Amino acid sequence: MINSIIDLQKFKDIIEYCKRCGFCLPYCPTYEIHRRIETISPRGKLLMSLGIITGNLRIRLRTAELLFSCTLCNRCSQACPAGINISDTLLRTRILLFKNKLLPHSISKIVSNMILERNPYGVDLNNKNFWFDFTSMEIENKANVAIWMGCTTALKRPELAAHVYEVVKYFEKSVAVIDNEPCCGIPLLYAGDLEGYYRSLKESLKAISTTKASIVITPCPSCLRAFRQFPQLFNVKVPFRVMHVIEYLWERIAKKKSMKLEYHNEVSVTYHDPCELARHMNIYKEPRELLKSINNINFIEMNNSGINSKCCGGGGLYMGFNFDKALAIASLRLYDVPKGVKIITTACPTCESILSVAINNSGRPLKVVDIVDIVHEILFS
Amino acid sequence: MSVDDRIDKVLRILRETIGEDKVIDEEEELYVYGFDATPFYFSKPHAVVRVSSVDDVIEVLKAAHSYRVPIVPRGHGTSLTGAVIPISGGIIVDLSPMTKIKVEPDNGVVEAEAGATVAEVDLECNKYGFFLPPDPASAEVATIGGAIAEDSGGMRGARYGTFRNWVLALDVVIPGGKLLKLGAPVYKRRMGYDLMQLFIGSEGTLGIIVKAVLKIIPLPESISRFLVFFDNIENAINALKEIRFSKINPLIMEFMDLETIRNINEIFKLNLPEHEISLLIDIDGYSSSLIEISERVVKIFKRHNVSEIIQARSDEEAKKLYAARRAAYPAIARRYKIIYSEDIVVPLSKILPTLKEIKNIERGYGIDIVTFGHIGDGNLHPNICVKERDPELIDRAKKIFEEICDIAIKYGGVVSGEHGIGIQKLLTFKRMLEIHNSLDLLEYMRRIKQIFDPYNIMNPGKILN
């Protein structure tokens, strides 16, 4: 499997199916935000990848910067007549760039943060436990169900981390967490460091094994992919069931209509599909059914939702690579909020974080929350 | 002064006049702007200039004219004939940042800058209950400027023709930097020789279209959609003929051959009935009258021994039938690395023999030809499909391409209905004129080009060699 990722002939073979029709162009958020310049389009990036493989385009730092101008949202693939999985293909290109030691400065910084501090933000790993202060519940380290919080939730949204823990604990007798949880390795994979991801994965699996859990729940779509999807690249079998917290809550609350929740007042909400949860992991139904099952919540679909959902700009390390442009993409996403809606829900700490900044900048009477926040509010108010 | 010196001079001028950030000569841009949607052509420009206003375009064409630097206008690079490949180098003028759209429903027109996509323009019109009739398959990505320069058509071509029929006025910048305001934003106009029409379909060889005013019409109140299947192509064609003779003028008349349906079923598992030919027919009108017209259409199909009729009973079903036709290209794009998309037009009475001859060619060469297209206006798209980039297979495909063009020429048709001439059909176009005893037209065309573009800087090597 791993050999096929870095096999240039196979890589070339995939790109050769590209008909250069450009049908992907209107679906690319970075292309749009860069005023439609071809080098930032999915087609342009595939062509540059082909140029690099065939030796017709030399790799330099600028090439890498253009190729990293991508959120890996994969919306482009929905429009590709040739059926190319464009974000997977561009991930291969990143692996090639990493092998050639050509990474944009901000991406190199993320990689070095990962090496030095085992998280992409470069903060002391001890801060991963900071969210413990936000809950009065007892923290446990061994249980059948464990929470894998992920760097962004634990470090950037400690209140959400506490909410996740408390909500899961509402349903379980015992829930374990990992002291100084390491990173799942996804930032390294998205930087093109395939081996680095593998090392992180092994370290993460070892850390999880200390909890003795058979079910691991995470609020982060990237971490979910790190344990559910990408281990296949290395034929690694993950020895537990990994679930996104929304899948878990859907099973507990909405699947068998076993529990009826009621929000404290009537409110219209919409849902922003995180690209990694939706297009990459095919999780569309669960968040919708969960929201619709709650009394007093009037669920209205966002424009451009589901498989055609627009990206928030935060994925694929793009927020770390070019924050201003990522924020501009998030600001565009706000135009898809239907009239009358005051709350955008989502299920990804990165989406929530950047949409929240976009809302603050826009001055619009909107707020963005994780679905877990809503469930927590109902269960614990 | 050498070519490189002249180009350097022009780029220096442009950096001063329109701004440093709009003039790009970095390796990556030169590489990716060297392609379009054709499978083989590639040639790097010397620079890419990203214009954002008419004034920018004027400055570009002033400088390029003075220093005789080739100019290739480009929208989103969706040409299927190499029309935006800079075969002589020079400067690609990227119009994609020019995207303003203004709908004037009271006047029944829409004004759009060259870089707005056809779909964006149509969507704006839809908000007022109107639509833009030409609908190229690439509408979501093709720009208005490109669609006019290529005189694109689409599925509604049988009823509404190509862009030529819908452009009322054009703003065009010609070499030297002069802005020509052609036509007028009204439905009827006599303005001497219609110079505006010269620019439509001129493939960027006369000047740069920067803005257009197009006629728009009200959206149909209701549409009745059919996907019907025949085991005999002649029966299908006769059914269409009878529909027309019954004073019914369908909005869409599309066809797919058996190979197309088989590919769609194999790739997308749509489980469509597999018969010799299938037709997608849209009848529009008021819902009250559509029931009666639809019944008449069904009777006509039955009189001509239709094998299966699927009539959409809801918007959802109608979307599915349309999606089936739209799946035709993706189905072959997933199976074959290289697709030569033909674009011939034959008289309606010659569709049947043309399709038969295409089948014979396929048998002779052993290369797959998957044919679908606009049967209502005789514009057929036989797609010559090659699985690998094998030189021998490609060579055979190229021969097939020429033979299919020859069929169209033989029947008094043309080698391109909506994709254009570009580089791909230069020789075929010339051969067509020769066979039609019209070769001298090329000379008139050259003289016209010389009036607007005396130094042949506008998209050299396209249409005219």
Side-chain angles (χ1 to χ4, degrees):
Chain A
M1 185 79 75
I2 192 71
N3 289 335
S4 83
I5 295 172
I6 49 177
D7 181 327
L8 292 186
Q9 185 51 44
K10 283 186 180 159
F11 190 6
K12 182 167 167 265
D13 204 49
I14 293 167
I15 302 177
E16 279 184 343
Y17 275 91
C18 170
K19 303 296 180 293
R20 303 158 191 173
C21 62
F23 283 19
C24 52
L25 270 58
Y27 292 84
C28 178
T30 50
Y31 174 68
E32 188 60 33
I33 220 68
H34 280 87
R35 301 198 68 200
R36 305 182 179 187
I37 187 163
E38 186 69 48
T39 33
I40 304 282
S41 75
R43 173 178 63 182
K45 281 176 270 200
L46 285 180
L47 285 171
M48 282 193 284
S49 303
L50 186 65
I52 291 168
I53 298 166
T54 54
N56 292 319
L57 180 69
R58 74 184 170 112
I59 320 179
R60 54 180 184 153
L61 188 58
R62 188 172 183 274
T63 327
E65 285 170 352
L66 292 165
L67 286 161
F68 269 90
S69 296
C70 171
T71 65
L72 299 178
C73 73
N74 213 26
R75 190 164 181 253
C76 49
S77 295
Q78 306 308 312
C80 178
I84 299 172
N85 185 324
I86 299 173
S87 73
D88 271 13
T89 311
L90 293 177
L91 195 53
R92 286 170 189 251
T93 309
R94 291 186 183 195
I95 293 166
L96 200 60
L97 292 171
F98 184 87
K99 280 179 66 155
N100 283 276
K101 298 185 169 57
L102 270 169
L103 294 184
H105 175 72
S106 48
I107 302 295
S108 295
K109 177 83 180 126
I110 292 171
V111 172
S112 64
N113 286 342
M114 287 290 292
I115 293 165
L116 296 173
E117 301 292 348
R118 289 186 295 159
N119 70 74
Y121 301 106
V123 298
D124 190 319
L125 197 60
N126 289 324
N127 289 336
K128 273 286 204 59
N129 291 353
F130 176 54
W131 68 266
F132 293 178
D133 295 345
F134 286 74
T135 180
S136 54
M137 288 186 181
E138 184 195 350
I139 300 291
E140 297 160 282
N141 293 114
K142 280 191 178 48
N144 187 41
V145 174
I147 306 278
W148 178 271
M149 212 53 88
C151 301
T152 305
T153 311
L155 295 170
K156 299 289 175 184
R157 277 281 277 119
E159 314 91 322
L160 173 63
H163 289 171
V164 171
Y165 185 69
E166 290 177 359
V167 163
V168 176
K169 205 148 186 184
Y170 182 89
F171 295 100
E172 304 290 339
K173 276 186 189 160
S174 185
V175 178
V177 295
I178 297 151
D179 253 342
N180 298 330
E181 179 192 275
C183 177
C184 66
I186 276 285
L188 289 173
L189 182 63
Y190 290 172
D193 181 3
L194 201 56
E195 287 165 10
Y197 159 69
Y198 180 66
R199 281 195 304 274
S200 294
L201 174 69
K202 294 294 252 185
E203 188 187 3
S204 304
L205 294 180
K206 196 175 164 190
I208 291 170
S209 71
T210 62
T211 66
K212 310 285 180 201
S214 66
I215 297 170
V216 174
I217 297 164
T218 180
C220 176
S222 299
C223 296
L224 184 72
R225 287 186 88 191
F227 295 127
R228 188 184 281 181
Q229 213 169 42
F230 291 121
Q232 292 167 26
L233 296 175
F234 298 90
N235 291 324
V236 169
K237 194 161 165 45
V238 172
F240 48 80
R241 182 185 181 203
V242 59
M243 301 174 84
H244 189 269
V245 65
I246 295 304
E247 292 177 293
Y248 174 82
L249 292 177
W250 172 78
E251 277 192 8
R252 289 286 168 163
I253 298 168
K255 190 180 176 186
K256 291 175 187 162
K257 296 182 179 141
S258 47
M259 192 175 176
K260 197 69 201 168
L261 301 184
E262 183 168 307
Y263 198 61
H264 53 74
N265 61 309
E266 274 190 39
V267 63
S268 291
V269 307
T270 192
Y271 174 68
H272 164 78
D273 285 281
C275 301
E276 293 199 274
L277 203 59
R279 267 187 296 273
H280 288 292
M281 300 295 291
N282 209 26
I283 298 172
Y284 297 101
K285 174 186 75 178
E286 291 83 350
R288 287 170 171 78
E289 288 191 358
L290 184 57
L291 285 167
K292 285 176 187 173
S293 75
I294 302 173
N295 278 348
N296 280 341
I297 281 191
N298 173 30
F299 177 75
I300 305 174
E301 277 290 358
M302 210 160 177
N303 296 328
N304 295 304
S305 64
I307 199 157
N308 192 34
S309 176
K310 281 189 179 175
C311 179
C312 70
L317 305 185
Y318 193 63
M319 192 156 69
F321 172 62
N322 191 337
F323 182 79
D324 290 346
K325 294 287 185 196
L327 184 58
I329 293 169
S331 303
L332 280 181
R333 181 63 170 143
L334 299 184
Y335 288 102
D336 288 333
V337 177
K339 274 185 187 162
V341 166
K342 297 279 181 263
I343 299 175
I344 307 170
T345 62
T346 190
C348 167
T350 305
C351 295
E352 191 207 327
S353 149
I354 196 159
L355 287 171
S356 159
V357 179
I359 289 170
N360 282 342
N361 287 356
S362 75
R364 289 176 63 178
L366 275 171
K367 72 171 179 176
V368 57
V369 296
D370 197 288
I371 294 177
V372 172
D373 291 325
I374 288 188
V375 174
H376 184 272
E377 195 177 344
I378 296 169
L379 295 179
F380 293 93
S381 60
Chain B
M1 232 194 272
S2 73
V3 179
D4 286 347
D5 288 343
R6 283 186 277 128
I7 287 170
D8 282 349
K9 182 81 185 159
V10 169
L11 298 185
R12 270 205 301 276
I13 292 170
L14 293 178
R15 285 188 169 112
E16 276 173 24
T17 52
I18 69 170
E20 186 82 30
D21 59 321
K22 293 178 183 171
V23 181
I24 308 169
D25 56 359
E26 300 282 356
E27 291 170 35
E28 293 82 5
E29 275 74 12
L30 302 190
Y31 185 72
V32 300
Y33 279 89
F35 293 92
D36 69 1
T38 46
F40 302 115
Y41 303 119
F42 170 71
S43 178
K44 282 186 191 178
H46 286 87
V48 176
V49 175
R50 293 192 19 97
V51 290
S52 55
S53 69
V54 177
D55 288 342
D56 286 354
V57 180
I58 288 172
E59 292 300 333
V60 173
L61 288 193
K62 254 190 215 169
H65 181 73
S66 298
Y67 291 92
R68 305 193 188 4
V69 167
I71 291 291
V72 180
R74 186 186 194 269
H76 286 163
T78 57
S79 167
L80 292 166
T81 61
V84 294
I85 301 287
I87 48 174
S88 311
I91 295 171
I92 281 198
V93 178
D94 181 1
L95 290 123
S96 53
M98 294 177 66
T99 57
K100 288 191 195 103
I101 302 167
K102 190 172 90 184
V103 185
E104 293 181 24
D106 291 350
N107 288 322
V109 299
V110 61
E111 185 182 292
E113 283 189 331
T117 68
V118 175
E120 284 168 342
V121 174
D122 189 43
L123 205 64
E124 278 305 304
C125 297
N126 294 168
K127 291 177 185 168
Y128 299 90
F130 285 78
F131 76 110
L132 180 64
D135 60 338
S138 56
E140 277 201 85
V141 58
T143 59
I144 281 289
I148 295 171
E150 294 294 319
D151 192 19
S152 304
M155 287 204 211
R156 298 193 281 248
R159 167 85 75 84
Y160 297 120
T162 56
F163 265 88
R164 182 178 299 287
N165 305 92
W166 300 92
V167 180
L168 301 174
L170 282 183
D171 283 3
V172 175
V173 182
I174 57 169
K178 189 168 176 51
L179 173 67
L180 303 182
K181 295 186 96 63
L182 305 169
V186 290
Y187 283 8
K188 287 181 179 173
R189 61 205 178 275
R190 292 309 307 268
M191 302 177 75
Y193 298 136
D194 195 343
L195 298 181
M196 184 187 77
Q197 286 291 337
L198 273 178
F199 283 83
I200 303 170
S202 66
E203 303 188 15
T205 59
L206 300 178
I208 299 182
I209 296 167
V210 287
K211 195 171 76 179
V213 179
L214 299 123
K215 182 178 174 178
I216 54 176
I217 55 175
L219 282 161
E221 198 251 359
S222 192
I223 288 174
S224 184
R225 180 164 291 157
F226 300 89
L227 188 59
V228 294
F229 301 83
F230 290 86
D231 280 316
N232 180 308
I233 300 175
E234 198 167 356
N235 287 344
I237 289 172
N238 285 336
L240 288 178
K241 199 158 96 180
E242 194 182 330
I243 288 173
R244 274 206 180 96
F245 285 16
S246 306
K247 296 175 183 167
I248 299 168
N249 187 12
L251 180 64
I252 286 177
M253 281 183 275
E254 292 288 299
F255 86 103
M256 294 178 276
D257 71 359
L258 179 56
E259 279 312 306
T260 307
I261 296 287
R262 280 184 179 151
N263 274 291
I264 292 172
N265 282 342
E266 191 180 319
I267 301 290
F268 297 110
K269 316 288 176 217
L270 291 190
N271 206 20
L272 296 169
E274 293 187 2
H275 298 274
E276 202 59 37
I277 189 167
S278 62
L279 306 175
L280 179 78
I281 308 289
D282 270 11
I283 313 283
D284 60 337
Y286 291 104
S287 3
S288 50
S289 58
L290 266 186
I291 296 169
E292 190 264 323
I293 298 172
S294 299
E295 281 169 2
R296 277 166 58 198
V297 168
V298 168
K299 277 180 191 161
I300 293 170
F301 288 141
K302 285 182 177 167
R303 265 203 295 281
H304 292 276
N305 299 320
V306 67
S307 303
E308 292 192 51
I309 300 177
I310 306 174
Q311 184 177 357
R313 300 286 174 194
S314 64
D315 285 351
E316 202 53 41
E317 281 179 30
K319 272 185 198 161
K320 277 186 187 164
L321 298 189
Y322 192 76
R325 166 63 183 89
R326 288 298 296 258
Y329 180 69
I332 53 172
R334 283 165 201 231
R335 282 193 68 186
Y336 302 93
K337 279 189 178 169
I338 293 162
I339 300 169
Y340 269 109
S341 188
E342 274 280 11
D343 178 38
I344 56 168
V345 189
V346 294
L348 301 184
S349 60
K350 300 297 182 194
I351 291 172
L352 182 62
T354 302
L355 290 175
K356 280 183 179 167
E357 287 191 39
I358 290 170
K359 274 284 151 212
N360 289 339
I361 290 176
E362 184 182 22
R363 281 184 210 109
Y365 279 96
I367 280 191
D368 295 341
I369 305 177
V370 180
T371 306
F372 47 83
H374 320 303
I375 201 163
D377 56 20
N379 186 190
L380 314 178
H381 296 308
N383 292 280
I384 306 154
C385 302
V386 182
K387 282 212 164 128
E388 287 297 330
R389 281 188 174 258
D390 173 333
E392 195 273 324
L393 289 175
I394 291 167
D395 195 45
R396 268 195 274 167
K398 284 180 177 168
K399 283 180 183 151
I400 293 175
F401 188 83
E402 295 300 326
E403 284 193 28
I404 291 176
C405 285
D406 285 341
I407 299 171
I409 298 169
K410 179 176 76 181
Y411 287 131
V414 293
V415 296
S416 175
E418 55 188 10
H419 296 174
I421 306 299
I423 317 170
Q424 191 188 38
K425 288 186 174 167
L426 262 181
L427 297 177
T428 325
F429 174 54
K430 193 176 167 194
R431 192 163 76 243
M432 177 183 82
L433 293 177
E434 209 166 1
I435 293 169
H436 290 169
N437 288 321
S438 305
L439 202 55
D440 51 351
L441 292 184
L442 285 178
E443 187 50 32
Y444 288 104
M445 290 183 202
R446 271 191 202 101
R447 285 191 216 164
I448 289 170
K449 180 166 166 67
Q450 212 162 28
I451 294 169
F452 294 106
D453 179 23
Y455 303 129
N456 190 29
I457 63 165
M458 289 308 305
N459 211 2
K462 316 292 163 58
I463 301 182
L464 302 168
N465 199 349

